[in-house]
PDB file of all heavy atoms in Angstrom:
ATOM      1  N   LEU A1307       0.815  -1.223   0.000  1.00  0.00           N
ATOM      2  CA  LEU A1307       0.000   0.000   0.000  1.00  0.00           C
ATOM      3  C   LEU A1307       0.845   1.269   0.000  1.00  0.00           C
ATOM      4  O   LEU A1307       0.325   2.366  -0.091  1.00  0.00           O
ATOM      5  CB  LEU A1307      -0.929   0.014   1.223  1.00  0.00           C
ATOM      6  CG  LEU A1307      -2.045  -1.015   1.229  1.00  0.00           C
ATOM      7  CD1 LEU A1307      -2.738  -1.044   2.586  1.00  0.00           C
ATOM      8  CD2 LEU A1307      -3.043  -0.699   0.120  1.00  0.00           C
ATOM      9  N   GLY A1308       2.169   1.091   0.163  1.00  0.00           N
ATOM     10  CA  GLY A1308       3.061   2.246   0.153  1.00  0.00           C
ATOM     11  C   GLY A1308       3.689   2.582   1.495  1.00  0.00           C
ATOM     12  O   GLY A1308       4.441   3.546   1.604  1.00  0.00           O
ATOM     13  N   VAL A1309       3.384   1.814   2.505  1.00  0.00           N
ATOM     14  CA  VAL A1309       3.970   2.054   3.819  1.00  0.00           C
ATOM     15  C   VAL A1309       5.441   1.649   3.766  1.00  0.00           C
ATOM     16  O   VAL A1309       5.772   0.551   3.334  1.00  0.00           O
ATOM     17  CB  VAL A1309       3.225   1.254   4.914  1.00  0.00           C
ATOM     18  CG1 VAL A1309       3.914   1.393   6.263  1.00  0.00           C
ATOM     19  CG2 VAL A1309       1.769   1.697   4.998  1.00  0.00           C
ATOM     20  N   THR A1310       6.319   2.551   4.189  1.00  0.00           N
ATOM     21  CA  THR A1310       7.752   2.254   4.160  1.00  0.00           C
ATOM     22  C   THR A1310       8.368   2.171   5.550  1.00  0.00           C
ATOM     23  O   THR A1310       9.507   1.737   5.680  1.00  0.00           O
ATOM     24  CB  THR A1310       8.511   3.313   3.342  1.00  0.00           C
ATOM     25  OG1 THR A1310       8.285   4.602   3.928  1.00  0.00           O
ATOM     26  CG2 THR A1310       8.054   3.300   1.884  1.00  0.00           C
ATOM     27  N   THR A1311       7.652   2.600   6.559  1.00  0.00           N
ATOM     28  CA  THR A1311       8.153   2.545   7.928  1.00  0.00           C
ATOM     29  C   THR A1311       7.080   1.940   8.821  1.00  0.00           C
ATOM     30  O   THR A1311       5.930   2.385   8.793  1.00  0.00           O
ATOM     31  CB  THR A1311       8.512   3.952   8.442  1.00  0.00           C
ATOM     32  OG1 THR A1311       9.452   4.543   7.547  1.00  0.00           O
ATOM     33  CG2 THR A1311       9.113   3.882   9.830  1.00  0.00           C
ATOM     34  N   LEU A1312       7.457   0.940   9.576  1.00  0.00           N
ATOM     35  CA  LEU A1312       6.525   0.278  10.485  1.00  0.00           C
ATOM     36  C   LEU A1312       7.132   0.240  11.881  1.00  0.00           C
ATOM     37  O   LEU A1312       8.340   0.029  12.030  1.00  0.00           O
ATOM     38  CB  LEU A1312       6.254  -1.158  10.031  1.00  0.00           C
ATOM     39  CG  LEU A1312       5.567  -1.302   8.686  1.00  0.00           C
ATOM     40  CD1 LEU A1312       5.807  -2.682   8.112  1.00  0.00           C
ATOM     41  CD2 LEU A1312       4.084  -1.032   8.842  1.00  0.00           C
ATOM     42  N   LEU A1313       6.319   0.440  12.886  1.00  0.00           N
ATOM     43  CA  LEU A1313       6.745   0.287  14.268  1.00  0.00           C
ATOM     44  C   LEU A1313       6.142  -1.014  14.764  1.00  0.00           C
ATOM     45  O   LEU A1313       4.917  -1.160  14.792  1.00  0.00           O
ATOM     46  CB  LEU A1313       6.245   1.453  15.128  1.00  0.00           C
ATOM     47  CG  LEU A1313       6.386   1.302  16.637  1.00  0.00           C
ATOM     48  CD1 LEU A1313       7.857   1.208  17.026  1.00  0.00           C
ATOM     49  CD2 LEU A1313       5.712   2.442  17.352  1.00  0.00           C
ATOM     50  N   ILE A1314       6.992  -1.964  15.083  1.00  0.00           N
ATOM     51  CA  ILE A1314       6.494  -3.216  15.636  1.00  0.00           C
ATOM     52  C   ILE A1314       7.113  -3.395  17.008  1.00  0.00           C
ATOM     53  O   ILE A1314       8.307  -3.169  17.210  1.00  0.00           O
ATOM     54  CB  ILE A1314       6.788  -4.431  14.724  1.00  0.00           C
ATOM     55  CG1 ILE A1314       8.276  -4.566  14.435  1.00  0.00           C
ATOM     56  CG2 ILE A1314       5.995  -4.350  13.434  1.00  0.00           C
ATOM     57  CD1 ILE A1314       8.653  -5.838  13.709  1.00  0.00           C
ATOM     58  N   ARG A1315       6.291  -3.739  17.945  1.00  0.00           N
ATOM     59  CA  ARG A1315       6.763  -4.005  19.297  1.00  0.00           C
ATOM     60  C   ARG A1315       5.754  -4.906  19.968  1.00  0.00           C
ATOM     61  O   ARG A1315       4.633  -5.064  19.508  1.00  0.00           O
ATOM     62  CB  ARG A1315       6.973  -2.731  20.093  1.00  0.00           C
ATOM     63  CG  ARG A1315       5.673  -2.015  20.446  1.00  0.00           C
ATOM     64  CD  ARG A1315       5.961  -0.820  21.318  1.00  0.00           C
ATOM     65  NE  ARG A1315       4.740  -0.244  21.832  1.00  0.00           N
ATOM     66  CZ  ARG A1315       4.210  -0.543  23.018  1.00  0.00           C
ATOM     67  NH1 ARG A1315       4.792  -1.393  23.807  1.00  0.00           N
ATOM     68  NH2 ARG A1315       3.090   0.009  23.410  1.00  0.00           N
ATOM     69  N   GLY A1316       6.153  -5.484  21.057  1.00  0.00           N
ATOM     70  CA  GLY A1316       5.265  -6.367  21.789  1.00  0.00           C
ATOM     71  C   GLY A1316       5.107  -5.894  23.218  1.00  0.00           C
ATOM     72  O   GLY A1316       5.463  -4.765  23.555  1.00  0.00           O
ATOM     73  N   PHE A1317       4.596  -6.757  24.038  1.00  0.00           N
ATOM     74  CA  PHE A1317       4.383  -6.403  25.434  1.00  0.00           C
ATOM     75  C   PHE A1317       5.597  -6.720  26.299  1.00  0.00           C
ATOM     76  O   PHE A1317       5.693  -6.271  27.424  1.00  0.00           O
ATOM     77  CB  PHE A1317       3.136  -7.113  25.970  1.00  0.00           C
ATOM     78  CG  PHE A1317       1.888  -6.622  25.300  1.00  0.00           C
ATOM     79  CD1 PHE A1317       1.259  -7.385  24.340  1.00  0.00           C
ATOM     80  CD2 PHE A1317       1.367  -5.378  25.597  1.00  0.00           C
ATOM     81  CE1 PHE A1317       0.126  -6.927  23.699  1.00  0.00           C
ATOM     82  CE2 PHE A1317       0.243  -4.905  24.972  1.00  0.00           C
ATOM     83  CZ  PHE A1317      -0.387  -5.682  24.011  1.00  0.00           C
ATOM     84  N   ASP A1318       6.515  -7.498  25.778  1.00  0.00           N
ATOM     85  CA  ASP A1318       7.785  -7.801  26.446  1.00  0.00           C
ATOM     86  C   ASP A1318       8.875  -7.332  25.481  1.00  0.00           C
ATOM     87  O   ASP A1318       9.391  -8.121  24.686  1.00  0.00           O
ATOM     88  CB  ASP A1318       7.893  -9.293  26.732  1.00  0.00           C
ATOM     89  CG  ASP A1318       9.140  -9.672  27.488  1.00  0.00           C
ATOM     90  OD1 ASP A1318      10.013  -8.796  27.688  1.00  0.00           O
ATOM     91  OD2 ASP A1318       9.253 -10.844  27.878  1.00  0.00           O
ATOM     92  N   PRO A1319       9.222  -6.043  25.512  1.00  0.00           N
ATOM     93  CA  PRO A1319      10.038  -5.453  24.445  1.00  0.00           C
ATOM     94  C   PRO A1319      11.342  -6.187  24.131  1.00  0.00           C
ATOM     95  O   PRO A1319      11.639  -6.412  22.958  1.00  0.00           O
ATOM     96  CB  PRO A1319      10.309  -4.036  24.950  1.00  0.00           C
ATOM     97  CG  PRO A1319       9.141  -3.731  25.828  1.00  0.00           C
ATOM     98  CD  PRO A1319       8.802  -5.039  26.491  1.00  0.00           C
ATOM     99  N   LEU A1320      12.124  -6.563  25.121  1.00  0.00           N
ATOM    100  CA  LEU A1320      13.397  -7.221  24.825  1.00  0.00           C
ATOM    101  C   LEU A1320      13.176  -8.589  24.186  1.00  0.00           C
ATOM    102  O   LEU A1320      13.725  -8.884  23.121  1.00  0.00           O
ATOM    103  CB  LEU A1320      14.250  -7.353  26.084  1.00  0.00           C
ATOM    104  CG  LEU A1320      15.589  -8.069  25.880  1.00  0.00           C
ATOM    105  CD1 LEU A1320      16.443  -7.353  24.849  1.00  0.00           C
ATOM    106  CD2 LEU A1320      16.317  -8.202  27.203  1.00  0.00           C
ATOM    107  N   HIS A1321      12.370  -9.409  24.822  1.00  0.00           N
ATOM    108  CA  HIS A1321      12.086 -10.746  24.287  1.00  0.00           C
ATOM    109  C   HIS A1321      11.481 -10.660  22.890  1.00  0.00           C
ATOM    110  O   HIS A1321      11.888 -11.380  21.974  1.00  0.00           O
ATOM    111  CB  HIS A1321      11.151 -11.506  25.234  1.00  0.00           C
ATOM    112  CG  HIS A1321      10.653 -12.792  24.666  1.00  0.00           C
ATOM    113  ND1 HIS A1321      11.425 -13.924  24.602  1.00  0.00           N
ATOM    114  CD2 HIS A1321       9.467 -13.114  24.095  1.00  0.00           C
ATOM    115  CE1 HIS A1321      10.736 -14.892  24.039  1.00  0.00           C
ATOM    116  NE2 HIS A1321       9.543 -14.427  23.717  1.00  0.00           N
ATOM    117  N   ASP A1322      10.505  -9.772  22.731  1.00  0.00           N
ATOM    118  CA  ASP A1322       9.838  -9.661  21.437  1.00  0.00           C
ATOM    119  C   ASP A1322      10.784  -9.153  20.363  1.00  0.00           C
ATOM    120  O   ASP A1322      10.745  -9.629  19.221  1.00  0.00           O
ATOM    121  CB  ASP A1322       8.606  -8.767  21.546  1.00  0.00           C
ATOM    122  CG  ASP A1322       7.531  -9.391  22.412  1.00  0.00           C
ATOM    123  OD1 ASP A1322       7.492 -10.633  22.523  1.00  0.00           O
ATOM    124  OD2 ASP A1322       6.720  -8.638  22.992  1.00  0.00           O
ATOM    125  N   ALA A1323      11.655  -8.199  20.682  1.00  0.00           N
ATOM    126  CA  ALA A1323      12.614  -7.699  19.695  1.00  0.00           C
ATOM    127  C   ALA A1323      13.535  -8.822  19.229  1.00  0.00           C
ATOM    128  O   ALA A1323      13.840  -8.934  18.037  1.00  0.00           O
ATOM    129  CB  ALA A1323      13.425  -6.548  20.279  1.00  0.00           C
ATOM    130  N   ILE A1324      13.959  -9.663  20.157  1.00  0.00           N
ATOM    131  CA  ILE A1324      14.811 -10.794  19.797  1.00  0.00           C
ATOM    132  C   ILE A1324      14.059 -11.748  18.877  1.00  0.00           C
ATOM    133  O   ILE A1324      14.566 -12.168  17.837  1.00  0.00           O
ATOM    134  CB  ILE A1324      15.311 -11.517  21.061  1.00  0.00           C
ATOM    135  CG1 ILE A1324      16.286 -10.609  21.823  1.00  0.00           C
ATOM    136  CG2 ILE A1324      15.957 -12.853  20.720  1.00  0.00           C
ATOM    137  CD1 ILE A1324      16.603 -11.079  23.229  1.00  0.00           C
ATOM    138  N   GLU A1325      12.832 -12.084  19.236  1.00  0.00           N
ATOM    139  CA  GLU A1325      12.035 -12.992  18.412  1.00  0.00           C
ATOM    140  C   GLU A1325      11.742 -12.397  17.037  1.00  0.00           C
ATOM    141  O   GLU A1325      11.823 -13.092  16.029  1.00  0.00           O
ATOM    142  CB  GLU A1325      10.725 -13.352  19.120  1.00  0.00           C
ATOM    143  CG  GLU A1325      10.919 -14.255  20.322  1.00  0.00           C
ATOM    144  CD  GLU A1325      11.556 -15.578  19.957  1.00  0.00           C
ATOM    145  OE1 GLU A1325      11.096 -16.229  18.997  1.00  0.00           O
ATOM    146  OE2 GLU A1325      12.536 -15.955  20.627  1.00  0.00           O
ATOM    147  N   TYR A1326      11.411 -11.116  16.988  1.00  0.00           N
ATOM    148  CA  TYR A1326      11.145 -10.478  15.687  1.00  0.00           C
ATOM    149  C   TYR A1326      12.392 -10.527  14.822  1.00  0.00           C
ATOM    150  O   TYR A1326      12.309 -10.757  13.620  1.00  0.00           O
ATOM    151  CB  TYR A1326      10.711  -9.021  15.852  1.00  0.00           C
ATOM    152  CG  TYR A1326       9.416  -8.812  16.598  1.00  0.00           C
ATOM    153  CD1 TYR A1326       9.141  -7.593  17.211  1.00  0.00           C
ATOM    154  CD2 TYR A1326       8.465  -9.813  16.712  1.00  0.00           C
ATOM    155  CE1 TYR A1326       7.960  -7.378  17.896  1.00  0.00           C
ATOM    156  CE2 TYR A1326       7.287  -9.607  17.395  1.00  0.00           C
ATOM    157  CZ  TYR A1326       7.041  -8.386  17.985  1.00  0.00           C
ATOM    158  OH  TYR A1326       5.886  -8.174  18.659  1.00  0.00           O
ATOM    159  N   GLY A1327      13.553 -10.303  15.444  1.00  0.00           N
ATOM    160  CA  GLY A1327      14.804 -10.334  14.695  1.00  0.00           C
ATOM    161  C   GLY A1327      15.158 -11.709  14.173  1.00  0.00           C
ATOM    162  O   GLY A1327      15.794 -11.847  13.132  1.00  0.00           O
ATOM    163  N   ARG A1328      14.740 -12.729  14.880  1.00  0.00           N
ATOM    164  CA  ARG A1328      15.021 -14.105  14.446  1.00  0.00           C
ATOM    165  C   ARG A1328      14.084 -14.580  13.359  1.00  0.00           C
ATOM    166  O   ARG A1328      14.491 -15.311  12.464  1.00  0.00           O
ATOM    167  CB  ARG A1328      14.895 -15.058  15.641  1.00  0.00           C
ATOM    168  CG  ARG A1328      16.027 -14.981  16.593  1.00  0.00           C
ATOM    169  CD  ARG A1328      15.874 -16.029  17.676  1.00  0.00           C
ATOM    170  NE  ARG A1328      16.919 -15.854  18.667  1.00  0.00           N
ATOM    171  CZ  ARG A1328      16.784 -16.119  19.945  1.00  0.00           C
ATOM    172  NH1 ARG A1328      15.639 -16.598  20.409  1.00  0.00           N
ATOM    173  NH2 ARG A1328      17.775 -15.927  20.773  1.00  0.00           N
ATOM    174  N   GLU A1329      12.816 -14.234  13.474  1.00  0.00           N
ATOM    175  CA  GLU A1329      11.817 -14.808  12.572  1.00  0.00           C
ATOM    176  C   GLU A1329      11.134 -13.796  11.669  1.00  0.00           C
ATOM    177  O   GLU A1329      11.185 -13.918  10.456  1.00  0.00           O
ATOM    178  CB  GLU A1329      10.751 -15.538  13.389  1.00  0.00           C
ATOM    179  CG  GLU A1329      11.253 -16.739  14.151  1.00  0.00           C
ATOM    180  CD  GLU A1329      10.122 -17.472  14.828  1.00  0.00           C
ATOM    181  OE1 GLU A1329       9.278 -18.019  14.096  1.00  0.00           O
ATOM    182  OE2 GLU A1329      10.080 -17.488  16.071  1.00  0.00           O
ATOM    183  N   LEU A1330      10.487 -12.816  12.254  1.00  0.00           N
ATOM    184  CA  LEU A1330       9.601 -11.930  11.501  1.00  0.00           C
ATOM    185  C   LEU A1330      10.353 -11.006  10.547  1.00  0.00           C
ATOM    186  O   LEU A1330      10.034 -10.948   9.350  1.00  0.00           O
ATOM    187  CB  LEU A1330       8.744 -11.111  12.469  1.00  0.00           C
ATOM    188  CG  LEU A1330       7.771 -10.133  11.844  1.00  0.00           C
ATOM    189  CD1 LEU A1330       6.755 -10.860  10.984  1.00  0.00           C
ATOM    190  CD2 LEU A1330       7.089  -9.316  12.931  1.00  0.00           C
ATOM    191  N   ILE A1331      11.320 -10.294  11.031  1.00  0.00           N
ATOM    192  CA  ILE A1331      12.014  -9.311  10.200  1.00  0.00           C
ATOM    193  C   ILE A1331      12.718  -9.968   9.010  1.00  0.00           C
ATOM    194  O   ILE A1331      12.608  -9.453   7.882  1.00  0.00           O
ATOM    195  CB  ILE A1331      12.952  -8.439  11.052  1.00  0.00           C
ATOM    196  CG1 ILE A1331      12.094  -7.569  11.980  1.00  0.00           C
ATOM    197  CG2 ILE A1331      13.865  -7.585  10.172  1.00  0.00           C
ATOM    198  CD1 ILE A1331      12.859  -6.811  13.034  1.00  0.00           C
ATOM    199  N   PRO A1332      13.413 -11.101   9.186  1.00  0.00           N
ATOM    200  CA  PRO A1332      14.001 -11.737   7.999  1.00  0.00           C
ATOM    201  C   PRO A1332      12.963 -12.130   6.941  1.00  0.00           C
ATOM    202  O   PRO A1332      13.223 -11.996   5.743  1.00  0.00           O
ATOM    203  CB  PRO A1332      14.708 -12.971   8.567  1.00  0.00           C
ATOM    204  CG  PRO A1332      15.021 -12.612   9.984  1.00  0.00           C
ATOM    205  CD  PRO A1332      13.854 -11.772  10.422  1.00  0.00           C
ATOM    206  N   LEU A1333      11.802 -12.591   7.367  1.00  0.00           N
ATOM    207  CA  LEU A1333      10.741 -12.930   6.411  1.00  0.00           C
ATOM    208  C   LEU A1333      10.309 -11.707   5.615  1.00  0.00           C
ATOM    209  O   LEU A1333      10.154 -11.757   4.391  1.00  0.00           O
ATOM    210  CB  LEU A1333       9.533 -13.521   7.138  1.00  0.00           C
ATOM    211  CG  LEU A1333       9.675 -14.902   7.742  1.00  0.00           C
ATOM    212  CD1 LEU A1333       8.487 -15.209   8.663  1.00  0.00           C
ATOM    213  CD2 LEU A1333       9.772 -15.951   6.650  1.00  0.00           C
TER     214      LEU A1333
END
């Protein structure tokens, strides 16, 4: 749709950032 910047975070910021970096962001 044209979005170039996204803010993603969870309720456990450190744990979620690690998980996003392992799985979500590479995808």
